[in-house]
């Protein structure tokens, strides 16, 4: 079946521009996660949604980062006034059930963001 | 911070079993051990997870020591496509869902 889909696959923006990254989770998956992966490092957690509710945003590095999932399916990660340190791969993952579950997370292939 | 320790790199010959160790000496009774791998330019791929019993699926086997302080992921017949970074992660059964990745082990399968 279809996996987690992310778009665009690559994004190049100039410093100061706003960007929006899209995630289409696996159909019916309740939980959705965003991670940031710097070059040569493991992914780092950004934020977590259960349906449309953003239950954990403790990993968002600054108030320039904003995520939403208004209808409980597609999610968008928005970065305002981008900085060079925002250059990274942004990964989205979804899992079938809510908290208190050992269901694995399934990842998309990410959006590689480059800030010039 | 990641709660696991893995060797930074390993090599294995094609066709042989690849045994990837992971130390998680501070694991608590309500934490699972998960393994993911990440092939170049792709997102992490779930492999297997376990609590205290050994587990096997079509991809790999997971051997967890009796004291649960360490585990080994076994790829029984490694192929060139198994070359990837392998992450061992401990995660609470309940509560926070996020995965905390460490540096992982870069496994290279040689022909």
């Amino acid at each position: 079946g279809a996996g987690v889909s992310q778009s665009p696959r690559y994004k190049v923006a100039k410093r100061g521009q706003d960007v929006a990254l899209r995630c289409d989770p696996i159909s019916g998956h309740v939980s959705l996660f965003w991670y940031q992966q710097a070059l040569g490092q493991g992914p780092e957690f950004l934020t977590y949604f259960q349906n449309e509710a953003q239950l954990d945003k403790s990993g968002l590095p600054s108030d320039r980062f904003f995520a939403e999932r208004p209808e409980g399916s597609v999610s968008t990660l928005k970065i305002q006034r981008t900085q060079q340190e925002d250059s990274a791969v942004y990964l989205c993952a979804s899992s079938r059930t809510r908290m208190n579950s050992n269901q694995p997370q399934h990842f998309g292939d990410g959006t590689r963001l480059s800030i010039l | 911070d990641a709660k696991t320790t893995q060797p930074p790199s390993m090599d294995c010959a094609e066709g042989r079993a690849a045994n990837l160790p992971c130390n998680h000496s501070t694991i608590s009774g309500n934490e699972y051990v998960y393994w993911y791998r990440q092939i170049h330019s792709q997102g992490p791929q779930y492999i297997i997870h376990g609590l205290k019993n050994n587990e096997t699926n079509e991809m790999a086997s997971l051997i967890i020591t009796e004291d649960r302080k360490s585990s080994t992921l076994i790829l029984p017949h490694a192929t060139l496509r198994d070359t990837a970074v392998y992450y061992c992660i401990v995660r609470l059964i309940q509560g926070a869902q996020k995965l905390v990745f460490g540096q992982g082990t870069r496994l290279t399968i040689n022909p």
Side-chain angles (χ1 to χ4, degrees):
Chain A
V4 177
S5 178
Q6 293 188 246
S7 61
R9 190 81 170 87
Y10 303 92
K11 177 70 178 176
V12 179
K14 293 182 178 179
R15 185 165 58 92
Q17 288 183 329
D18 298 348
V19 298
L21 313 179
R22 177 187 170 105
C23 172
D24 285 79
I26 295 172
S27 178
H29 277 199
V30 169
S31 297
L32 184 145
F33 308 80
W34 284 97
Y35 293 82
Q36 179 190 59
Q37 187 171 24
L39 190 64
Q41 304 296 315
E44 292 192 357
F45 170 78
L46 293 176
T47 187
Y48 160 63
F49 289 86
Q50 180 182 307
N51 295 308
E52 68 279 3
Q54 189 175 19
L55 298 187
D56 187 352
K57 51 182 180 180
S58 62
L60 296 177
S62 77
D63 58 8
R64 295 186 297 103
F65 287 70
F66 172 77
E68 61 183 5
R69 193 186 186 200
E71 297 178 359
S73 56
V74 172
S75 178
T76 303
L77 177 66
K78 298 179 179 178
I79 309 174
Q80 298 176 322
R81 305 181 302 282
T82 52
Q83 303 294 318
Q84 284 191 322
E85 62 263 27
D86 300 334
S87 295
V89 175
Y90 291 86
L91 295 161
C92 177
S94 68
S95 67
R96 193 165 56 185
T97 54
R98 298 171 291 180
M99 292 175 67
N100 305 334
S101 166
N102 64 359
Q103 291 294 313
Q105 295 178 25
H106 300 274
F107 285 79
D109 286 336
T111 294
R112 182 176 296 276
L113 176 64
S114 298
I115 305 300
L116 305 179
Chain B
D1 290 337
K3 299 172 65 175
T4 62
T5 304
Q6 300 177 253
S9 64
M10 292 182 63
D11 285 81
C12 179
E14 188 178 19
R16 298 293 188 113
N19 296 279
L20 292 94
C22 179
N23 184 294
H24 31 80
S25 57
T26 60
I27 194 170
S28 62
N30 59 348
E31 288 181 313
Y32 278 94
V33 179
Y34 280 76
W35 283 83
Y36 282 78
R37 72 180 183 184
Q38 189 170 23
I39 296 169
H40 183 63
S41 295
Q42 296 183 19
Q45 177 190 21
Y46 166 76
I47 302 173
I48 198 168
H49 72 278
L51 184 59
K52 50 182 142 181
N53 297 321
N54 297 337
E55 302 288 344
T56 295
N57 63 20
E58 64 279 5
M59 290 183 67
S61 294
L62 174 60
I63 308 298
I64 303 174
T65 58
E66 191 169 344
D67 64 7
R68 303 186 68 240
K69 292 183 183 299
S70 66
S71 60
T72 301
L73 179 74
I74 301 173
L75 307 178
H77 305 287
T79 71
L80 298 179
R81 289 176 295 181
D82 292 322
T83 293
V85 177
Y86 286 76
Y87 295 100
C88 170
I89 300 166
V90 297
R91 207 201 83 184
L92 284 168
I93 294 171
Q94 296 181 330
Q97 287 265 297
K98 63 185 178 185
L99 298 173
V100 180
F101 290 82
Q103 296 297 310
T105 295
R106 183 172 297 278
L107 176 66
T108 302
I109 306 301
N110 300 307

